[in-house]
Amino acid sequence: MSVLLNKDSRVVTQGLGATGKFHLQGCREYGTQMVAGVRPGKGGTDFEGCPIFDTVSQAVEKEGANVSVIYVPPPGAADAIMEATDAGIPLIVCITEGIPAADMVRVKRFMEGKDSRLIGPNCPGIITPGEAKVGIMPGYIHKPGRVGVVSRSGTLTYEAVHQLTLAGVGQSTCIGIGGDPIIGTTHTDAMKLYNDDPDTDAVIMIGEIGGNAEETAAAWVKENMTKPVAAFIGGQTAPPGKRMGHAGAIISGGQGSAADKMAALTAAGVTVAKSPADMGKALLEACEKQGVSVKS
Amino acid sequence: MNVHEYQAKELLRRYDVAVPRGIMITKGADAKKAAEDLGTPIVVVKSQIHAGGRGAGAIVADAAEAAKIFNNNLKDEGLPKHDKPGGVRLAKSPGEAAEIAESILGNILVTKQTGPEGKVVRRVLIEEGCDIAEELYLSILLDRAVGRLVVMASTEGGMEIEKVAEETPEKIMRKTVDPTVGLLDCQARDIAFSLGIPAEKIGDAVKFLKSLYAAYVDLDASLLEVNPLVLTGAGDLIALDAKVSFDDNAFYRHADVKALRDDNEEDPKELRAAEFDLSYIALDGTIGCMVNGAGLAMATMDIIHHHGGEPANFCDVGGGANAEKVAEAFKIILADENVKAVFINIFGGIMKCDVLAEGVVEAANQVGIKVPLIVRLEGTNVDRGREILANSDIDIISAADMTDGAKKACEAAGITG
């Protein structure tokens, strides 16, 4: 099994521009149930056999959608997340990059106390290998298995997954939580999910400079995590005060450096890879230390 | 994006935040009239550059002197003071204001934040003098951990807030703002009392704080810092300095703010990269990097460092790089004279390796690459991509994986691990 996403998930796509359409097909080819699309004003039409609705709540009502994936451009993306929340969608995955932070402050407040979980924004999405993929990651590099992967970055996640797969280690669920300063699901949230998941035996956590979410996760892991954890932090050589591509990747006011995060994780008993080429190796080391076997 | 102090103050004035009257000039000859128009017995001549520490910085004539003062007097705390004039100075007459402005404009201001190269001062703000009773601190910023804005205040004005946080954290008051209701009167009042504002002026202070908050929200700022915030002899609050940064992601709804960008303050290579939708940051190593994805781009810098080299740049060509973008990235990376080798590290997901390989070959032919080029390809259509590179007539050192690529790049750049 897995966390959050499985073969029974029914996905509605919000934002059917070229990108949304391309990935709707990609996810469907992977075997995901892509049951609906939303495009206000185009309700009643279809895209490649996938019915289009005017609103998310119609997609929920008519097609039983329980996951939403959002490709809506930045000016409308926050509204799209809140629409999905309002329609009661339990899992909302926002791929959109470039949403103003102020919009995300409102989204976060709006979602408080509601039952929806947001993944992203500015993320590759989530995949449960062999069951379903929701997002833009290349499905074929993954292999079903028992290691969870959680990351703020897209291509660096693919790199980690690739290393695991090459080593014969499959993945339970891989979550790209996104590179923005305000995100729906944090490293700590993901750790809790993996810790409770009977089908995840170990976790790779990939962080980067900026904020202190990795330190928070390290503190949680130290107190609660029963499974082996390996980690890599990107941006060890990044200069302070510069935004490294991701809106959230910036060392500011002496906070958010890779060194601090690596130290916090190491102190929490996490096996930290210094080189990004050693993420898979670090995971195997962490497993060996705790006598856990993840090879299949 | 950052803006100059005078621009920040103009914006704040629109929201009824009290700031000193001032006139920005670019020519020394205009300083006298500006000071006369302000009409106060004392004016302040303030260098406008995007870096802090201007008052304690040094105005120098050339780069060599800037570097010397930076290394000997500025870069760390506790170094001896330099004997050069600073970047912010008082003038007791319009004539003196003109002299000071003349001596600043066109010269270099080096501060602890500018780095050894300093920055050329092209704009000067002539501002009215201010009757300072207390120097306080106020800022608004995003607390990422809770996803809300926080207002921070301290009685320790004029000091760096990071230092206050480290040494006397109890002197910092923080108020987290619920976005549905904004900064509340009671929160603003609490801050005002903690700053020691006299009771009869609390109402004015609340108004000041709420105006500042309104400006932050309305302009999509990402940081608003007033340091020092001055309590005048008459008990009024006035923003003596103002630093505002903006959320680039919100520029689509703030064309007027975007227009405030001063290209002189930005790295020309970074500006050029942005034109082509590339994310590039210049660094000081010798190995140029071209990578898809910000996370992998940072990791590529790290792995170069791990094997003894230093990255010359961060460069994310994004998910949809074509020959044109790759060519442009090459040009920008190679414009840096320190670059001794270029390491291309691609994990093709949506971006197919064969398309990328074609782009690399086309761009390499177009640009003419004279340094060793190391390419590591992985992901979608990787075999076709490697074949295209192998069959091309450009000299490419191909790498089996990231480690191999980083090692070969270090070797090619003359670094022996």
Side-chain angles (χ1 to χ4, degrees):
Chain A
M1 253 293 290
S2 55
V3 298
L4 302 174
L5 184 73
N6 60 39
K7 59 182 184 333
D8 300 321
S9 301
R10 298 175 65 79
V11 183
V12 53
T13 301
Q14 291 176 259
L16 283 170
T19 310
K21 284 177 173 168
F22 178 81
H23 293 294
L24 188 154
Q25 284 174 303
C27 293
R28 180 192 265 173
E29 280 159 22
Y30 193 78
T32 316
Q33 298 191 54
M34 304 303 287
V35 298
V38 170
R39 212 172 170 184
K42 298 280 180 190
T45 63
D46 80 288
F47 168 69
E48 306 272 326
C50 180
I52 307 286
F53 298 95
D54 288 321
T55 67
V56 177
S57 51
Q58 286 169 0
V60 172
E61 192 187 320
K62 301 270 172 37
E63 299 295 336
N66 56 16
V67 177
S68 163
V69 59
I70 297 172
Y71 302 97
V72 175
D79 188 58
I81 298 170
M82 292 190 277
E83 181 184 356
T85 307
D86 207 35
I89 296 262
L91 180 64
I92 303 165
V93 182
C94 184
I95 308 297
T96 310
E97 174 173 9
I99 303 176
D103 293 12
M104 284 310 300
V105 169
R106 286 170 51 228
V107 166
K108 191 127 181 139
R109 178 70 182 88
F110 179 77
M111 292 184 78
E112 262 174 38
K114 299 199 168 63
D115 295 328
S116 300
R117 167 184 296 281
L118 172 67
I119 292 178
N122 189 12
C123 77
I126 172 171
I127 181 169
T128 294
E131 295 203 31
K133 100 165 178 127
V134 174
I136 63 174
M137 68 289 279
Y140 74 93
I141 61 170
H142 301 80
K143 169 185 159 83
R146 304 182 61 84
V147 172
V149 180
V150 53
S151 169
R152 278 165 72 182
S153 147
T155 43
L156 191 53
T157 317
Y158 311 163
E159 186 71 49
V161 167
H162 181 68
Q163 287 173 20
L164 289 176
T165 300
L166 277 186
V169 178
Q171 306 91 41
S172 54
T173 300
C174 306
I175 312 173
I177 56 174
D180 273 1
I182 302 179
I183 52 176
T185 297
T186 62
H187 278 118
T188 308
D189 298 332
M191 284 298 168
K192 289 179 187 170
L193 292 168
Y194 288 129
N195 205 31
D196 292 343
D197 176 30
D199 297 303
T200 296
D201 292 338
V203 183
I204 289 192
M205 171 182 142
I206 301 166
E208 61 192 32
I209 55 163
N212 61 358
E214 290 83 354
E215 286 91 329
T216 308
W220 189 88
V221 164
K222 193 174 183 178
E223 294 300 317
N224 305 285
M225 194 79 181
T226 57
K227 302 173 182 180
V229 181
F232 174 75
I233 303 293
Q236 297 163 37
T237 48
K242 285 278 188 181
R243 216 170 276 286
M244 307 302 280
H246 286 153
I250 181 165
I251 303 169
S252 55
Q255 292 215 318
S257 76
D260 288 352
K261 292 172 191 291
M262 290 164 77
L265 287 162
T266 306
V270 172
T271 306
V272 181
K274 289 198 179 68
S275 162
D278 296 337
M279 292 185 284
K281 210 168 97 188
L283 189 273
L284 290 174
E285 268 176 44
C287 289
E288 204 176 308
K289 267 190 252 170
Q290 296 193 22
V292 173
S293 168
V294 286
K295 287 207 185 191
S296 50
Chain B
M1 186 192 81
N2 298 321
V3 296
H4 288 296
E5 175 197 2
Y6 79 92
Q7 294 167 320
K9 285 177 170 168
E10 274 168 25
L11 289 171
L12 291 181
R13 201 176 278 127
R14 283 192 216 161
Y15 292 87
D16 292 328
V17 176
V19 296
R21 291 180 303 129
I23 297 164
M24 193 278 289
I25 58 162
T26 55
K27 289 194 280 289
D30 297 337
K32 189 158 177 274
K33 183 170 185 305
E36 282 166 0
D37 288 351
L38 290 172
T40 48
I42 291 178
V43 294
V44 190
V45 183
K46 305 181 89 175
S47 304
Q48 300 293 292
I49 60 166
H50 289 187
R54 292 170 297 167
I59 295 286
V60 295
D62 60 64
E65 211 178 353
K68 201 175 97 193
I69 290 189
F70 181 80
N71 289 322
N72 294 343
N73 310 102
L74 293 169
K75 72 173 175 190
D76 296 313
E77 262 178 65
L79 291 171
K81 283 202 162 58
H82 61 81
D83 57 1
K84 302 286 171 194
V88 176
R89 280 159 34 216
L90 293 179
K92 295 199 180 77
S93 70
E96 195 186 354
E99 268 171 45
I100 295 172
E102 289 279 7
S103 74
I104 289 178
L105 281 161
N107 281 317
I108 295 171
L109 173 56
V110 57
T111 80
K112 63 184 232 182
Q113 288 184 15
T114 58
E117 65 277 15
K119 278 184 170 172
V120 176
V121 186
R122 293 180 170 86
R123 308 175 196 201
V124 158
L125 175 64
I126 310 285
E127 203 168 71
E128 66 178 345
C130 178
D131 167 24
I132 302 174
E134 296 279 352
E135 290 195 13
L136 310 168
Y137 173 93
L138 196 69
S139 66
I140 305 175
L141 68 162
L142 176 67
D143 181 344
R144 296 165 59 143
V146 292
R148 292 188 182 191
L149 297 181
V150 55
V151 180
M152 282 179 28
S154 163
T155 49
E156 304 301 289
M159 268 175 81
E160 275 179 47
I161 195 68
E162 289 84 8
K163 211 173 156 194
V164 181
E166 206 175 293
E167 292 169 4
T168 49
E170 70 282 0
K171 288 188 173 165
I172 298 177
M173 169 166 262
R174 296 168 58 98
K175 289 285 176 193
T176 303
V177 182
D178 182 333
T180 50
V181 290
L183 181 67
L184 299 170
D185 283 14
C186 58
Q187 291 180 309
R189 213 158 43 230
D190 207 354
I191 294 169
F193 278 117
S194 80
L195 289 175
I197 308 292
E200 68 277 13
K201 292 286 187 180
I202 288 292
D204 290 348
V206 167
K207 204 167 143 261
F208 182 96
L209 285 161
K210 292 184 79 173
S211 299
L212 213 54
Y213 177 82
Y216 183 105
V217 171
D218 204 46
L219 294 166
D220 273 298
S222 56
L223 170 72
L224 199 169
E225 188 177 52
V226 178
N227 189 19
L229 167 70
V230 159
L231 183 64
T232 66
D236 296 316
L237 285 176
I238 185 164
L240 193 61
D241 196 0
K243 179 181 173 187
V244 188
S245 303
F246 295 93
D247 181 357
D248 296 18
N249 285 342
F251 280 163
Y252 72 85
R253 55 192 181 204
H254 298 291
D256 55 335
V257 170
K258 193 181 176 190
L260 297 176
R261 185 174 77 187
D262 178 359
D263 286 353
N264 287 315
E265 291 286 337
E266 314 286 335
D267 182 295
K269 293 199 289 285
E270 289 172 23
L271 283 180
R272 185 158 174 80
E275 266 176 52
F276 290 87
D277 201 21
L278 299 163
S279 180
Y280 172 96
I281 290 161
L283 302 169
D284 45 19
T286 57
I287 299 170
C289 310
M290 195 190 301
V291 188
N292 66 325
L296 190 60
M298 273 186 268
T300 303
M301 291 160 41
D302 295 344
I303 199 169
I304 288 171
H305 177 76
H306 189 71
H307 292 286
E310 290 303 332
N313 63 275
F314 165 93
C315 180
D316 172 13
V317 292
N322 49 24
E324 195 202 354
K325 259 176 121 172
V326 174
E328 211 44 56
F330 267 131
K331 285 183 205 161
I332 293 164
I333 291 169
L334 293 169
D336 178 349
E337 288 167 1
N338 293 327
V339 170
K340 302 271 186 293
V342 175
F343 179 21
I344 300 185
N345 185 14
I346 301 292
F347 199 108
I350 302 317
M351 179 198 256
K352 295 186 177 69
C353 290
D354 51 336
V355 177
L356 192 276
E358 276 165 12
V360 168
V361 172
E362 198 182 318
N365 281 327
Q366 194 189 325
V367 178
I369 295 164
K370 294 183 181 62
V371 297
L373 180 60
I374 297 90
V375 183
R376 180 268 181 150
L377 283 184
E378 197 53 74
T380 312
N381 296 351
V382 63
D383 294 335
R384 290 221 309 268
R386 286 180 184 157
E387 207 177 292
I388 290 165
L389 293 180
N391 294 338
S392 75
D393 46 13
I394 42 171
D395 203 5
I396 289 172
I397 303 169
S398 103
D401 55 36
M402 244 206 283
T403 302
D404 188 39
K407 281 183 178 167
K408 283 176 171 163
C410 289
E411 204 175 293
I415 296 146
T416 45

